[in-house]
Amino acid sequence: MSGAGPVHVAVGVVQDGAGRVVIARRDAHRHQGGRWEFPGGKIEPGETPITALQRELAEELGVTAEAASPLIRIPYDYGDRQVVLDVMRVTAYSGEPEGVEGQPLARVAIDSLDPAAFPAGNRAIITALRLPSTYIISPDCHDPDDWLAQLDRCLAGGTRLIQFRVRGESPGRDRLASEAVKRCHAGGAVMLVNGDATLAEASGADGVHLNARQLRDCNRQSLSGFAWIGASCHNGPELARAADLGADFAVLGPVAPTASHPGAAPLGWAAFADAVAAARLPVYALGGMGRADTETAITHGGQGVAGIRGFWPGLSG
């Protein structure tokens, strides 16, 4: 590891009118040369991330960034260099992006971005772009017909990421999981199964969500067959463990008091922000959350919010 401090970099996600992301190829002689990257550059003394991004986008793409919102902050150690990427989604700009410095540009749909073509530190950016701002966790099932009806309501409302958290003793759990996967896929949503890799594979789910014990005990090889891996975390070390395992995202909490874990001391937003600032993957705020908390979570560095109550139809509090 280098003895120098990390290089602080402002990074922008710029999309064209069709929603395609503008990326550039790095010069062969630069660090991570030849790979594709999101535009941006080093934050100079006296600059904020947004002013640095505005300067870099003008220099690199010839555009004027007029508004931007936080997407993710990624610390990454390449061994020979440490970086901290302050990534912002550019929500308004003027001008037409072009390779002002002679660098090749491409415009690529988010779902077509290939993480292997980017520096490793950029790969969490792609994941954050693909993930929605809400992650709905299902309750247990006592009436399969009613449970599926509530799932349909979630999907009709635009839900795109679901955790199947029906416990093993629930009747017809396997059939329910398979039917839930079919409905999620028909609705353009991704479904992960909580804590049961066997059921995830058998039902055709997109992935598995690890509980705290599994996060501690599993290894990368056991997770290699899944497109999506989520993890439940309660602190910074567990977030680091999730990133080391190659998890795509994590939930961190409880952030606020929650009815499901009344004895758990809440983290609060300040501690949530501190833990997320050191994380190398997108993190959802969990515990006492509702849709109204989405922007607060994002401004504190999170991907968004996750939960059961406040998200699943028919539940409250």
Side-chain angles (χ1 to χ4, degrees), residues 158-193:
T159 295
R160 293 297 173 262
L161 186 63
I162 291 274
Q163 182 190 136
F164 182 86
R165 196 171 178 269
V166 175
R167 302 193 185 279
E169 60 270 18
S170 298
R173 178 171 174 258
D174 292 1
R175 292 191 301 276
L176 184 68
S178 296
E179 180 61 28
V181 168
K182 291 178 184 177
R183 298 189 186 202
C184 284
H185 289 175
V190 167
M191 192 184 99
L192 282 68
V193 173

Side-chain angles (χ1 to χ4, degrees), residues 174 178 196-205 226:
D174 292 1
S178 296
D196 191 335
T198 301
L199 179 60
E201 185 174 3
S203 64
F226 296 106

Side-chain angles (χ1 to χ4, degrees), residues 21 24 83 88 90 125 156 171 176 205 208 212 234 241 255 273:
V21 177
V83 297
M88 289 160 278
V90 179
I125 303 173
L176 184 68
V208 64
H234 303 90
R241 169 66 174 162
V255 175

Side-chain angles (χ1 to χ4, degrees), residues 288-310:
M289 295 293 103
R291 294 184 188 275
D293 297 298
T294 303
E295 288 304 315
T296 302
I298 291 171
T299 59
H300 285 81
Q303 176 73 22
V305 291
I308 305 174
R309 297 177 181 273

Side-chain angles (χ1 to χ4, degrees), residues 32-295:
Q32 298 288 311
R35 293 182 178 274
W36 291 94
E37 67 175 353
F38 297 92
K42 182 179 178 181
I43 300 174
E44 301 294 347
E47 290 184 321
T48 64
I50 183 62
T51 59
L53 182 62
Q54 289 171 326
R55 174 181 53 77
E56 289 285 348
L57 293 184
E59 294 173 355
E60 293 184 18
L61 301 183
V63 302
T64 300
E66 298 163 350
S69 59
L71 178 65
I72 191 170
R73 186 178 189 271
I74 307 164
Y76 200 87
D77 187 349
Y78 285 100
D80 61 337
R81 181 174 301 187
Q82 300 171 56
V83 297
V84 176
L85 308 178
D86 246 311
V87 187
M88 289 160 278
R89 192 193 299 265
V90 179
T91 53
Y93 66 91
S94 57
E96 182 63 25
E98 58 179 325
V100 175
E101 300 171 335
Q103 73 276 32
L105 298 185
R107 291 165 173 80
V108 183
I110 290 173
D111 288 343
S112 297
L113 292 168
D114 178 8
F118 289 75
N122 278 214
R123 296 174 190 175
I125 303 173
I126 297 173
T127 302
L129 286 170
R130 290 176 174 168
L131 288 170
S133 59
T134 56
Y135 179 30
I136 296 184
I137 303 169
S138 82
D140 272 332
C141 174
H142 304 290
D143 180 335
D145 290 337
D146 179 68
W147 191 98
L148 288 168
Q150 303 310 326
L151 173 63
D152 288 341
R153 287 180 60 189
C154 289
L155 296 171
T159 295
R160 293 297 173 262
L161 186 63
I162 291 274
Q163 182 190 136
F164 182 86
R165 196 171 178 269
V166 175
R167 302 193 185 279
E169 60 270 18
S170 298
R173 178 171 174 258
D174 292 1
R175 292 191 301 276
L176 184 68
S178 296
E179 180 61 28
V181 168
K182 291 178 184 177
R183 298 189 186 202
C184 284
H185 289 175
V190 167
M191 192 184 99
L192 282 68
V193 173
N194 179 283
D196 191 335
T198 301
L199 179 60
E201 185 174 3
S203 64
D206 303 280
V208 64
H209 186 98
L210 306 174
N211 59 37
R213 177 187 57 78
Q214 292 168 326
L215 177 64
R216 183 188 67 238
D217 296 340
C218 73
N219 56 55
R220 276 177 176 266
Q221 186 174 1
S222 66
L223 303 175
S224 61
F226 296 106
W228 288 94
I229 304 294
S232 290
C233 300
H234 303 90
N235 52 49
E238 290 182 352
L239 288 174
R241 169 66 174 162
D244 289 343
L245 278 173
D248 297 289
F249 66 91
V251 299
L252 176 65
V255 175
T258 174
S260 59
H261 296 83
L267 292 171
W269 284 116
F272 174 85
D274 287 345
V276 171
R280 290 172 281 129
L281 75 175
V283 181
Y284 290 94
L286 177 72
M289 295 293 103
R291 294 184 188 275
D293 297 298
T294 303
E295 288 304 315

Side-chain angles (χ1 to χ4, degrees), residues 25-35 37 103-104:
R25 190 184 293 276
R26 294 177 67 86
D27 288 339
H29 70 276
R30 297 174 62 195
H31 182 259
Q32 298 288 311
R35 293 182 178 274
E37 67 175 353
Q103 73 276 32

